[in-house]
Amino acid sequence: MRVEHHPHSQLPSTIHRFAEFSRSRPTEEHTPRNNSPWEPFRTRLDFEVAEIALEAAMTKDQTNRLLDLFHRSATGNDSFTLHNHDEVRSLWDLASQRYTRHDTLSVPFEKEVYEFDMHYRPLFDWALDLLRDERLAPHFPWTADAFWNAQSQLPPDAKPLAFILYADKSKLSSFGTQKGYPIIARIANLPVHIRNGNTALGGGRVVGWLPIVVEDQKHTKKKKYVDFKNAVWHTSFYQLLASVEKHSKTGYWFECAGGIQCCLWPLILILSADYEEQCIMALIRGLKGKFPCPVCLVPQDEQSVLRTHELRTCHQSKDVLRLARSMPSEKEKEDHLKAFSLRDVDNVFSKILYTDVHRALSVDRLHTNKEGLWGDHLWKEVKYWISDLGREASVKLDENFDALPRWPNMTHFSSVIAVDFTDGTVLGHLSKIIIFAAQDILTSSHCKLGHLLLRCVRYYVELDIYTSLEVHTEDTIAAGKLALQKFSEIMGEYITQSQPETFKNWNFPKKHLISHIFDDILAKGVTRNYNTKPNEKMHGALRKIYLQRTNFKNVASQILHYDEWLLTLTTMRTELEELDEYNQRDACNPKINAELDKTVTITDAHSSLGSKQGNRCFSDITRMYGTDRAFTDFRMKLNGFLNVFLPQNHIPLPDERRIHLCAEDTITEFRFLRVNYESIVDWRVHRDLLRCNPKFYGSPRYDCVMVKTADKPFFARLVYMFTCSIGGTDFPLALIHPYDVNIAGTRRRRDDDIGLWRVRAKPRSSSEIISVRSIIRGAALANDPETAGDYFVIHTVDTDIFLRVKALQAQSV
């Protein structure tokens, strides 16, 4: 073989025998490029541990916990005996005891029998496990009319064991090709903060996994096939309830934690679900039925009107079904069932004594209000009228939203018109602040129907806030019912006047279901008792298990298996922390512990300052803020305040002389304020975190506050927060810009129509100094673009400020 080189190489041609060529190259010894390639990690083990943490996308907390375990093992403080993945799995199986059962059930359809898999944990067995837990024993009382009525029907020595059940299909895969159908149970006897906690200790628990009937295009939307799918649902659900059915008729004597003998009487008190799932639970025909409500017999074409209708009962539904099945022909049977919008399927809940499915079903604010009445209807109407006014109105609405102040636990919107919101929580936030952003756009002069719609939205938001209260009184129930009545009346006006232009049909279930919401509150307590939100949060964890811990085939058993492990992990971790706390306490000197028990008391201070900026003399402050009129005569104002404040609070003046601070005296600036206040809703202590910062995340942030006076509270903006030392005592103070100009006689009708509370700023030079302890709580104020110096109190950010502003509005009438 002749090899010719390029002429530029100046190498001569060479001749080689073919045998000299081969595919392999001679082995060459290479010196490693780096003898310590793990650097800058100190050791190879350090690198390999960090590598695993990176590959597993471990959080900061998880990484620290892993490193702590390595150090504990290396120092000999604990022994590590695990060898491989299989051993870890077997130990988790042993710890979790594998409670979940699997049954195959058969359901006939058109001369064929179909089999489905149902995964479940017997509901009554799960409840008994909770009752055995000594930590939950003190928390089992619960009260509301439905609970009272259930107790009245039971034998005198029986105690209701009330269940809250939730079921809903959920997408597991990104494209929705794989779905899950979990059943989540909670014990209604437990307090809501435990029950809704989604923890091992008394929280929500996945107790079942319903089969999903694959849609058959040959039968899709056929009445018999829909009945078949409902029959599969109820037959499957019975596997979960079988353990409850028996004891619902006889009761069950049980020794609870603490050795107390109780006769438990199980019942289904609350069914938490969206409308589509409620139709399945109640076995009604849904949207297009003659009577589409699962609770009452409201005609399909009267759902937009607030009116009382005959309530459904489980006895009535059973009688209708029994009579229909006795009729001689299929047509007569179908006509009779249609007359009540019922299906030819036996309802599983009718097997449980003292349980009425129609009373157990509850109005869910997430789907009925936020995503339904607001998200699907009222919000779309608002956008319709904004768009009708043209591009400028759309741009202005986005600008008004972006100008609203940021507030904790509230979404800040920079754009709304071009965005499709799907999250119920975000839609709820949008509903609470839409009036403040649209009040100067949808005016009666520019858009009469748009302004009428804003009046509807005003009462919708008030209704939604009243129904969200954590504690109700007779007054709040009455106020909520009045808001419902006003909303229905003004909506009636809007529907009549707008239909010729919008052609919208307002006869839909979510418009009607709110008429039952206060009946539910009286019967079953506040709406968070049956809100679907805590249950829907659990879908995220199940979806994560599906994506990370299954092979995407026959996923139900894998998901439930891993979920059982997580429950076991949470339980064991809680017990470990209790053990550690006990051992640490026991290891301390008993005498020291005894002294601590006597002297240490935990108190919640009203307020505390943070983000300390250091000491500043008055001359420096004058130089720094000389152009800000709020600081005009700052030192003189402080002198005057202290000379009044200290004697009023029985604090002696130093040397019994009036205070006269000099230009070189110093104060200490702070830019963060924590205020603890007692909510007038639930009388618990809540906390506001407030800022007074010229550059907070790149932008000025000067929060507003509600200030207490001897007469009535007023609103103000924080300008400067500081402590001033007098006689060795630091006094926390604030310079504020008061928004308390008296405008009682000049309030606009528009403000009253849409429920706004307007405040007006004094000249900035009229700033005042107050004690931080006179601040009641924080407040969010929206600027009125039409009137300089005027603001609206955003009273919808939480239930406490809502009731406080409602009280101010009532006083001004």
Side-chain angles (χ1 to χ4, degrees):
M1 182 177 293
R2 179 174 174 160
V3 177
E4 290 190 358
H5 300 275
H6 194 277
H8 290 181
S9 71
Q10 298 182 349
L11 294 174
S13 300
T14 56
I15 305 294
H16 300 271
R17 289 182 298 174
F18 189 78
E20 294 177 6
F21 287 85
S22 68
R23 292 181 178 271
S24 61
R25 299 179 61 185
T27 304
E28 297 181 8
E29 292 186 2
H30 291 283
T31 303
R33 289 176 293 175
N34 189 346
N35 289 326
S36 52
W38 50 81
E39 292 180 345
F41 293 94
R42 285 181 288 275
T43 67
R44 175 173 179 163
L45 181 60
D46 286 354
F47 165 73
E48 291 180 343
V49 171
E51 180 184 33
I52 292 173
L54 184 63
E55 290 175 347
M58 295 173 69
T59 65
K60 177 181 177 180
D61 179 60
Q62 291 169 334
T63 304
N64 287 336
R65 286 164 56 196
L66 178 65
L67 296 178
D68 181 59
L69 294 176
F70 274 102
H71 287 299
R72 279 167 51 189
S73 179
T75 55
N77 292 335
D78 210 341
S79 56
F80 185 77
T81 64
L82 294 174
H83 293 91
N84 53 50
H85 178 260
D86 290 342
E87 184 180 3
V88 173
R89 287 183 63 92
S90 64
L91 288 171
W92 278 126
D93 280 341
L94 184 63
S96 63
Q97 301 177 38
R98 297 299 300 278
Y99 286 122
T100 305
R101 297 184 186 177
H102 167 261
D103 279 350
T104 300
L105 51 99
S106 301
V107 182
F109 176 66
E110 290 194 346
K111 300 180 181 179
E112 291 187 48
V113 176
Y114 294 82
E115 291 189 344
F116 299 93
D117 292 333
M118 171 64 183
H119 301 265
Y120 68 98
R121 181 180 181 185
L123 189 59
F124 197 73
D125 296 351
W126 166 74
L128 294 184
D129 286 342
L130 292 182
L131 286 163
R132 293 187 185 100
D133 195 318
E134 293 182 356
R135 294 168 296 178
L136 292 176
H139 300 291
F140 261 88
W142 200 75
T143 178
D145 286 358
F147 208 85
W148 179 281
N149 294 338
Q151 177 75 69
S152 301
Q153 297 178 71
L154 302 180
D157 56 354
K159 306 294 181 188
L161 178 60
F163 292 95
I164 300 173
L165 298 179
Y166 162 91
D168 195 15
K169 283 195 288 286
S170 172
K171 293 179 181 179
L172 297 175
S173 60
S174 301
F175 297 100
T177 53
Q178 182 68 263
K179 295 181 179 180
Y181 211 151
I183 305 171
I184 297 171
R186 302 175 192 272
I187 299 294
N189 304 64
L190 289 170
V192 67
H193 70 277
I194 294 177
R195 184 195 332 129
N196 285 0
N198 292 344
T199 64
L201 185 63
R205 177 80 172 88
V206 178
V207 294
W209 197 273
L210 290 163
I212 297 176
V213 180
V214 179
E215 202 65 42
D216 187 338
Q217 293 302 316
K218 292 185 299 183
H219 305 293
T220 297
K221 297 184 179 179
K222 289 183 180 178
K223 181 261 171 189
K224 285 189 176 180
Y225 193 65
V226 176
D227 284 353
F228 165 68
K229 290 194 291 185
N230 278 267
V232 171
W233 194 98
H234 281 261
T235 305
S236 304
F237 214 98
Y238 178 70
Q239 310 304 310
L240 174 73
L241 296 183
S243 60
V244 173
E245 179 194 13
K246 173 184 174 183
H247 301 305
S248 75
K249 296 177 173 63
T250 62
Y252 180 83
W253 282 97
F254 177 75
E255 184 174 312
C256 301
I260 301 172
Q261 291 286 334
C262 297
C263 179
L264 302 176
W265 215 286
L267 55 96
I268 312 300
L269 186 73
I270 292 172
L271 292 172
S272 174
D274 61 19
Y275 173 74
E276 290 73 18
E277 200 70 22
Q278 288 190 18
C279 292
I280 297 173
M281 292 174 170
L283 286 171
I284 66 167
R285 302 196 176 207
L287 286 169
K288 297 182 180 179
K290 289 184 177 180
F291 302 99
C293 178
V295 176
C296 75
L297 293 170
V298 56
Q300 208 276 339
D301 59 354
E302 295 183 20
Q303 295 177 92
S304 65
V305 182
L306 180 64
R307 192 175 297 156
T308 302
H309 299 274
E310 179 187 354
L311 294 177
R312 293 181 184 271
T313 68
C314 64
H315 298 297
Q316 178 203 64
S317 297
K318 284 196 289 186
D319 290 343
V320 169
L321 183 59
R322 188 184 304 113
L323 180 58
R325 286 175 173 174
S326 68
M327 291 181 172
S329 69
E330 281 294 317
K331 184 179 184 307
E332 289 177 288
K333 178 174 76 171
E334 178 66 5
D335 288 344
H336 188 64
L337 290 172
K338 268 187 177 181
F340 293 86
S341 292
L342 292 174
R343 297 195 176 279
D344 186 16
V345 178
D346 290 315
N347 195 307
V348 65
F349 298 106
S350 66
K351 298 177 184 290
I352 312 300
L353 198 63
Y354 304 125
T355 294
D356 187 325
V357 64
H358 304 293
R359 299 290 77 75
L361 291 169
S362 310
V363 180
D364 171 50
R365 286 181 55 242
L366 176 63
H367 293 95
T368 302
N369 286 8
K370 297 176 183 178
E371 295 180 2
L373 186 52
W374 166 252
D376 289 338
H377 302 282
L378 291 172
W379 171 230
K380 290 182 178 179
E381 291 290 291
V382 171
K383 291 202 291 185
Y384 174 86
W385 295 115
I386 292 289
S387 300
D388 188 59
L389 289 173
R391 182 187 299 272
E392 287 186 8
S394 299
V395 172
K396 185 170 179 55
L397 185 70
D398 284 344
E399 291 174 347
N400 286 355
F401 265 106
D402 193 34
L404 292 175
R406 285 172 167 79
W407 195 253
N409 303 317
M410 285 289 290
T411 305
H412 183 81
F413 301 93
S414 56
S415 176
V416 295
I417 289 294
V419 181
D420 290 327
F421 299 104
T422 57
D423 181 84
T425 299
V426 174
L427 282 166
H429 295 169
L430 182 65
S431 70
K432 290 181 176 182
I433 56 178
I434 180 62
I435 287 177
F436 302 95
Q439 57 87 23
D440 64 328
I441 303 172
L442 296 177
T443 62
S444 56
S445 57
H446 289 95
C447 183
K448 183 179 178 182
L449 288 175
H451 182 70
L452 183 58
L453 178 64
L454 276 192
R455 293 177 61 200
C456 298
V457 172
R458 173 254 178 110
Y459 285 108
Y460 159 78
V461 172
E462 290 191 4
L463 168 64
D464 188 55
I465 293 177
Y466 277 119
T467 58
S468 73
L469 293 180
E470 298 86 352
V471 175
H472 268 291
T473 65
E474 290 181 354
D475 290 341
T476 58
I477 291 285
K481 288 182 175 180
L482 179 61
L484 173 59
Q485 181 182 339
K486 295 291 290 183
F487 171 67
S488 300
E489 289 174 358
I490 299 175
M491 272 302 300
E493 293 179 36
Y494 175 76
I495 292 169
T496 301
Q497 296 181 33
S498 66
Q499 265 185 335
E501 188 165 345
T502 64
F503 305 105
K504 181 172 178 60
N505 181 5
W506 289 88
N507 285 308
F508 51 84
K510 290 175 183 177
K511 172 66 174 69
H512 162 76
L513 285 173
I514 57 171
S515 65
H516 298 298
I517 200 160
F518 288 103
D519 293 332
D520 279 346
I521 290 172
L522 290 170
K524 291 166 273 192
V526 295
T527 54
R528 63 176 179 165
N529 288 334
Y530 35 88
N531 193 350
T532 59
K533 190 173 180 178
N535 301 309
E536 300 220 340
K537 282 184 178 179
M538 296 179 70
H539 285 296
L542 299 174
R543 192 174 298 116
K544 187 175 181 180
I545 295 173
Y546 165 78
L547 293 171
Q548 298 181 355
R549 301 295 175 180
T550 73
N551 61 5
F552 309 116
K553 299 175 182 177
N554 302 318
V555 299
S557 58
Q558 298 177 67
I559 291 174
L560 293 173
H561 189 182
Y562 196 80
D563 181 64
E564 192 72 47
W565 284 2
L566 292 177
L567 177 74
T568 304
L569 182 153
T570 306
T571 304
M572 295 174 72
R573 168 54 59 188
T574 302
E575 293 176 357
L576 270 173
E577 290 173 353
E578 290 174 353
L579 178 63
D580 289 343
E581 184 179 350
Y582 176 81
N583 288 337
Q584 288 172 7
R585 183 178 178 84
D586 194 49
C588 294
N589 188 318
K591 292 183 179 179
I592 295 176
N593 279 329
E595 290 301 314
L596 287 172
D597 288 340
K598 291 178 183 177
T599 60
V600 175
T601 57
I602 300 175
T603 58
D604 286 326
H606 166 266
S607 56
S608 58
L609 292 168
S611 188
K612 184 177 179 180
Q613 301 300 302
N615 296 334
R616 287 187 170 84
C617 65
F618 290 103
S619 58
D620 287 342
I621 294 172
T622 301
R623 187 165 51 253
M624 292 172 63
Y625 300 102
T627 58
D628 187 345
R629 297 181 64 193
F631 285 85
T632 302
D633 296 329
F634 175 56
R635 180 167 57 90
M636 303 305 293
K637 288 178 181 178
L638 180 56
N639 283 331
F641 170 80
L642 291 172
N643 285 317
V644 173
F645 173 77
L646 296 180
Q648 279 183 345
N649 289 274
H650 310 292
I651 301 170
L653 295 171
D655 301 325
E656 297 183 356
R657 298 173 60 185
R658 289 178 61 82
I659 292 171
H660 183 73
L661 297 170
C662 301
E664 300 309 314
D665 288 330
T666 62
I667 58 176
T668 305
E669 181 189 359
F670 294 84
R671 293 181 176 176
F672 170 73
L673 174 63
R674 182 185 292 109
V675 176
N676 298 318
Y677 64 94
E678 183 183 272
S679 168
I680 62 174
V681 177
D682 60 7
W683 307 290
R684 295 177 182 270
V685 175
H686 294 246
R687 174 177 294 174
D688 275 343
L689 307 180
L690 305 173
R691 309 284 173 178
C692 183
N693 197 324
K695 196 171 184 180
F696 183 68
Y697 286 97
S699 301
R701 174 77 177 266
Y702 293 93
D703 287 329
C704 293
V705 292
M706 192 178 194
V707 182
K708 179 173 60 179
T709 69
D711 182 18
K712 64 179 182 180
F714 69 92
F715 294 90
R717 188 176 300 277
L718 295 172
V719 177
Y720 192 78
M721 298 190 301
F722 60 97
T723 57
C724 182
S725 181
I726 303 295
T729 301
D730 288 336
F731 293 92
L733 307 172
L735 179 68
I736 61 168
H737 184 189
Y739 295 171
D740 62 347
V741 174
N742 187 357
I743 55 174
T746 61
R747 294 190 180 277
R748 299 179 182 178
R749 179 178 176 180
R750 186 205 305 172
D751 297 351
D752 294 335
D753 283 346
I754 54 180
L756 298 178
W757 183 249
R758 180 186 295 269
V759 295
R760 183 165 296 163
K762 284 182 175 177
R764 193 161 173 84
S765 58
S766 298
S767 59
E768 299 176 10
I769 293 174
I770 61 169
S771 167
V772 164
R773 293 190 177 94
S774 67
I775 294 174
I776 299 172
R777 54 157 296 158
L781 269 63
N783 176 54
D784 179 8
E786 294 182 324
T787 308
D790 277 17
Y791 298 83
F792 300 113
V793 180
I794 308 179
H795 61 294
T796 52
V797 293
D798 61 56
T799 52
D800 175 81
I801 193 69
F802 175 76
L803 292 187
R804 291 183 191 273
V805 171
K806 293 297 285 184
L808 291 174
Q809 291 173 329
Q811 291 174 19
S812 69
V813 175

